[in-house]
Amino acid sequence: MAKQTSVIHASIVAALFAVLGIGGVVYGSRVALPGLASRHGAGIDAMLDYLLITTGVLFAVGYCALAYFIWTGARRGRIGQRLASRRTELWVSGTIGIAVALVAEGGVLAIGMPVWSEYFDATPPADAVTVEVLAQQFLWNVRYAGPDGQFGRTSSDRIDDVSNPMGMDRTDPAGRDDIITQNAITVPSGRAVRLRLRSRDMIHSFFLPHFRVKQDIVPGMTPEVIFFPTREGSFEMACTELCGLAHYRMRGFFDVVSPEAYEKWLTDQSTPPPARR
Ligand SMILES: [Cu+2]
């Protein structure tokens, strides 16, 4: 009788864990990622789906095997001999280990390498919109080249938090028409976006969840990312490297607008506001 009760208890606990595990996967697969808005992002999503499904299946198979051996092993009175030779044990576990690694790593390479080359190694199209992003505690400085298409010179010794956050060289004519904003990036739809990322003080990480764009920014390095937005809208931009107490304030917006709205936005930024009477 006592044995029956303990079997019932064990079954209830096992069922509870199974419900938690499966429920977690079902819930997580719905809330994990926000709606996709970039071309290369489809490949990243495919890779995540592949990993979730294959490792999920391997996990389930592994646990079923474990349950089977516990079930049959518990009924055995005593273990009198090895059930398999040492060689067979090595061979079986080695084969399973290599097969699992091939499924997981091989799949990641097969799906991931084309995405990697599209995202990091692609030559930007001639009409790509280039935007410079300079991270600092705790905001994003954003710069556009302006009508002349040339970024003005900058240097770190010219940086002044209030009057010159990006360290612009005011004597450089190329920089006169540069447009500077904070915590907001606007780009037109239908064109590739090329982001040149820099950091002023410490490691930040530029994150556009809808675009599957995430790039660490280490001071002294200028990583670039190229991606192609696939829909218009206003999307969240965040820092995803805990960079200090006010890290949470590094939240901004990445707006993809129609080409006409973008031209108007550029003109609005370039013309100084009318003087007040
Ligand atoms: Cu940060």
Side-chain angles (χ1 to χ4, degrees):
M1 194 64 194
K3 197 179 170 193
Q4 225 170 16
T5 327
S6 70
V7 167
I8 292 169
H9 283 174
S11 309
I12 291 173
V13 172
L16 192 71
F17 275 99
V19 168
L20 274 176
I22 296 167
V25 169
V26 172
Y27 176 75
S29 63
R30 285 195 205 144
V31 298
L33 293 166
L36 182 65
S38 74
R39 204 162 61 190
H40 78 278
I44 292 184
D45 287 5
M47 189 165 71
L48 290 177
D49 287 346
Y50 171 84
L51 273 179
L52 188 68
I53 291 165
T54 50
T55 53
V57 169
L58 289 171
F59 178 80
V61 169
Y63 267 75
C64 287
L66 184 65
Y68 170 77
F69 288 123
I70 290 174
W71 185 262
T72 51
R75 266 148 192 71
R76 206 171 284 137
R78 66 186 184 89
I79 297 171
Q81 87 234 34
R82 280 188 95 94
L83 296 173
S85 72
R86 195 172 150 68
R87 233 186 111 138
T88 317
E89 274 176 13
L90 274 177
W91 194 82
V92 169
S93 45
T95 313
I96 292 175
I98 291 168
V100 168
L102 278 180
V103 168
E105 304 304 326
V108 168
L109 286 178
I111 306 173
M113 288 318 278
V115 185
W116 177 274
S117 52
E118 182 182 350
Y119 184 56
F120 284 112
D121 299 337
T123 347
D127 70 339
V129 184
T130 304
V131 182
E132 194 182 82
V133 179
L134 176 65
Q136 74 174 84
Q137 288 173 314
F138 296 98
L139 56 89
W140 303 103
N141 297 285
V142 178
R143 183 161 73 126
Y144 294 76
D148 68 352
Q150 299 274 322
F151 283 99
R153 257 195 317 271
T154 57
S155 63
S156 52
D157 52 309
R158 289 192 168 83
I159 287 177
D160 177 273
D161 269 337
V162 180
S163 62
N164 195 359
M166 295 194 90
M168 300 270 298
D169 181 349
R170 307 270 190 224
T171 61
D172 183 7
R176 297 238 168 93
D177 62 349
D178 287 8
I179 297 163
I180 292 179
T181 63
Q182 281 182 339
N183 291 339
I185 300 179
T186 302
V187 296
S189 57
R191 281 165 70 181
V193 178
R194 176 186 180 205
L195 295 179
R196 286 164 50 177
L197 305 164
R198 289 192 295 137
S199 168
R200 241 176 70 168
D201 36 36
M202 59 174 310
I203 304 178
H204 297 271
S205 186
F206 183 83
F207 188 30
L208 294 173
H210 296 82
F211 297 83
R212 315 296 190 252
V213 165
K214 187 189 261 186
Q215 175 62 51
D216 278 5
I217 320 173
V218 180
M221 296 178 78
T222 48
E224 274 194 12
V225 291
I226 298 156
F227 61 97
F228 201 98
T230 47
R231 60 188 170 98
E232 292 177 12
S234 186
F235 306 95
E236 193 178 357
M237 167 166 104
C239 177
T240 180
E241 187 79 54
L242 188 55
C243 57
L245 281 177
H247 158 70
Y248 67 92
R249 271 202 252 143
M250 295 188 73
R251 182 170 183 256
F253 284 93
F254 187 93
D255 295 331
V256 184
V257 298
S258 68
E260 301 77 45
Y262 177 67
E263 287 309 320
K264 185 176 176 307
W265 180 84
L266 273 185
T267 325
D268 289 352
Q269 302 296 313
S270 305
T271 31
R276 285 215 194 132
R277 290 173 194 233

